[in-house]
Amino acid sequence: MFKNYIMIAIRNLRRQKGYSFINILGLAIGMACCLLILLYVQDEFGYDKFHEKSDRIYRLVMEGQVSATGRILNSARSPSPWAPVLAADYPGVVNYVRFKTPLSRWLITYEDERIYEKGFYFADATVFDVFDFELVRGNPAEVLVAPNTVVISEETARKYFGNEDPVGKIITADLVYEFKITGVMKKVPRSSHMTFDFLASFATLTGPANSDGTFIYGGDLSNFQFFGLNPQVYTYLLLDDGFSAEEFELLLPQFIDKYLGEQIRQSGIQLDPYLQPLTAVHLHSNLDAEVAPNSDISYVYIFSAISLFILMIACVNFMNLATARSANRALEVGLRKVVGSDRFQLVKQFLGESVFLAFLALLLAIIFVYFLLPPFNVLSGKELVFAFDNTWIFPALIGIVLFVGIVAGSYPAFFLSSFKPVTVLKGAFRAGAANMQLRRILVVGQFAISIIFIIGTGIVYSQLDFILNRRLGFNKEQVAVIPMVDPPARFRYMSYKSELSQSPDILAVSASNSVPGGLIDIAILQPEGTPEGENVSMEQLMIEYDFIKTLGIELAQGRDFSLSFPTDTMEAFIINETAVRQLGWEESPLNKRMEMGNFKQGRVIGVVRDFHVRSLHQKIEPLVLHLAPSPDPFLNLLVRIRPDNIRGALDFMEEKWRQVYPTHPFEYSFLDEDFDSLYRSEQLRGKIFIAFSLLAIFTACLGLFGLASFTAEQRTK
């Protein structure tokens, strides 16, 4: 019997080649989209799950609010001194790891190799106990115990040392800090929310002071007095099996009051730290100062819904064409019933045919997936692989075939099996007339979905256009950004600026501790009118003269910093309009006094129009600009170039760079490209949405074409 059903199905496919081609192609497109989305979703949910203890690892993040201004604090980082004290005070905290990244790229030097590296992290020695980053050389319990030690990736080892054994070699960072290589690790899996090529010992930052009393990198990070409220590190806690995150969070207010109560009262900051599950960071976290841009669970839902809609459109096409051509099977149904077949047998036959057709469509869909996967990886920014050795692939394929076969074939099966033999054999059954109303509803429904996709595509396109072309309050075009990551380079900045001023193709030069789109520091201030003992936090940019001119920022009131006023270095501030509003200085912000602890005291000399220093995802916050007393904070050099000779200006900049900095490679980027990279994930996902929307519309049109062809065939005399 089964063999007979298969033979009949094959004969029907041969007789109705056009109908079969449209059905199989539509189902194959739907299945291919579904498989691609399944690969994407499986990859998204798989982040950080390769760690054996991933279900017990949590990230400690900061949430709070500044009482004086209402500014919301929402940081992925937390203060460095917290982790060891929490582990000591609460037995439920089994272990901890802190990660810290330099503010910018570091220049790594070994013999003649000099390369700027981004993936340089500091980490506690416990990193290999908590996380499953795999070492191929070195003892996990010892490699990061001593200060000035570092573990590098296999790829980095080949880049710097070729086939030599790197263990025991000394590399230099920023031409200042020396690190001994104590281990080699495998490349961090792509499914990790953080990736790195260098892992240096955290003891380097918290170890004994240098002979002059200073610390190697910015200060003693174990000091509660100076770093108790400053979120500088990424803290990960390993909790005991019987100790839940909810229990731990209930203890945090007690911890804060014990160690930070007085600082909290003086700063006016309301703190509410909490724990994030490690496996939830990639899809559920979009905080300030993330290690890297994360994804969003909403995209998983959207793409899953799109793939399901495309599959349903293909199934509707199958139903429409099957019921429209029902007259061609009517005699077969009548004869089978006459010779003894019951309705249940006929339903099984027609469902079997649709499952068989779905199986053929699946084979074509797999071919589509192999061809579409490379461009899909480009669109999604992933490295997805369709491999049959994945444990979930075969159950997924079987599930898709059965789902499509049963859903697409259910209505035609019950509809065809309901024919009455007498009506059919008398010839009273009219071709294409049966259930015309249902087919119309289905066609209207699938085209309603297609119209929704068209509208959605227009919205996505306009949103992408908005984030890329919105006025930001500064001019990001034709601005080159040159990293100055080591102190010797910064202190020769004025010489380099003087050389650049000789070119008519260079319109302005300045420097700052950060640029729009980068990590922005926070300053604690005491503005005029603030109650005694209360502070206000603002975002800050430590800048050099001509910064406002270089970025084309508009002054709303007052003046820019000027060499004509020598006191501007230590006694002048410029704030933005948001700061003016939150401080209640709308009437007269100029000459209002501000203090920045013992570091700087002075008056407001100007107000700039609001401009975005972060992405459009975040609202504009209060901002203060002030001159740096020395070039030491300058991590970025900004050069505005005349637009009609960009290549010539870059060549001139490189030539002068090699004269002033003969030991440093010349590297640059453009500010507009750097800022637009903040939206790279939105751009990629927008393109995916548009591509799948077009496929959905094509599939719907394919079904309409099939119905139109059938109607034309029926009306041909």
Side-chain angles (χ1 to χ4, degrees), residues 61-266:
V61 299
M62 292 278 284
E63 188 175 81
Q65 186 174 6
V66 181
S67 303
T69 63
R71 183 178 186 275
I72 301 298
L73 304 177
N74 210 9
S75 176
R77 297 184 293 189
S78 55
S80 176
W82 286 24
V85 177
L86 286 169
D89 285 8
Y90 303 107
V93 180
V94 177
N95 217 331
Y96 67 88
V97 180
R98 293 167 295 177
F99 292 91
K100 181 172 174 58
T101 60
L103 293 176
S104 183
R105 297 177 291 182
W106 269 20
L107 179 64
I108 303 300
T109 304
Y110 178 75
E111 294 182 348
D112 295 332
E113 291 287 346
R114 297 173 182 269
I115 303 174
Y116 284 111
E117 299 282 4
K118 289 183 177 179
F120 199 106
Y121 282 49
F122 291 92
D124 281 300
T126 54
V127 61
F128 297 107
D129 296 327
V130 176
F131 296 96
D132 291 333
F133 300 123
E134 189 175 349
L135 276 178
V136 294
R137 293 290 312 278
N139 184 341
E142 299 176 355
V143 287
L144 294 179
V145 172
N148 302 95
T149 54
V150 67
V151 173
I152 62 175
S153 67
E154 288 181 304
E155 185 179 353
T156 302
R158 285 191 295 269
K159 180 166 63 175
Y160 285 91
F161 305 101
N163 295 324
E164 293 182 39
D165 183 4
V167 175
K169 299 282 198 307
I170 303 295
I171 60 174
T172 305
D174 276 6
L175 302 179
V176 176
Y177 313 127
E178 291 187 344
F179 292 91
K180 180 181 178 181
I181 298 173
T182 53
V184 179
M185 60 186 172
K186 285 191 174 180
K187 183 179 180 180
V188 177
R190 189 184 55 81
S191 58
S192 172
H193 77 280
M194 66 166 68
T195 58
F196 40 80
D197 294 307
F198 299 82
L199 210 53
S201 62
F202 204 87
T204 308
L205 309 178
T206 59
N210 297 328
S211 58
D212 61 356
T214 62
F215 288 83
I216 183 172
Y217 191 73
D220 180 7
L221 295 182
S222 63
N223 191 316
F224 254 102
Q225 181 179 356
F226 294 103
F227 296 102
L229 292 179
N230 191 353
Q232 286 197 319
V233 300
Y234 300 96
T235 303
Y236 296 83
L237 304 177
L238 176 64
L239 301 188
D240 189 70
D241 272 326
F243 190 56
S244 69
E246 291 76 14
E247 290 178 79
F248 178 73
E249 286 173 347
L250 292 175
L251 300 173
L252 284 175
Q254 170 189 333
F255 162 80
I256 292 172
D257 187 61
K258 179 179 179 181
Y259 292 98
L260 298 165
E262 186 60 32
Q263 290 188 54
I264 293 287
R265 285 186 285 274
Q266 289 181 359

Side-chain angles (χ1 to χ4, degrees), residues 423-460:
T423 304
V424 170
L425 296 177
K426 281 184 177 181
F429 184 82
R430 190 160 53 88
N435 264 353
M436 178 70 73
Q437 190 65 28
L438 177 64
R439 289 204 306 278
R440 286 173 178 165
I441 293 172
L442 291 176
V443 170
V444 170
Q446 67 178 180
F447 271 89
I449 294 174
S450 299
I451 291 170
I452 292 172
F453 277 131
I454 293 172
I455 295 171
T457 300
I459 293 172
V460 168

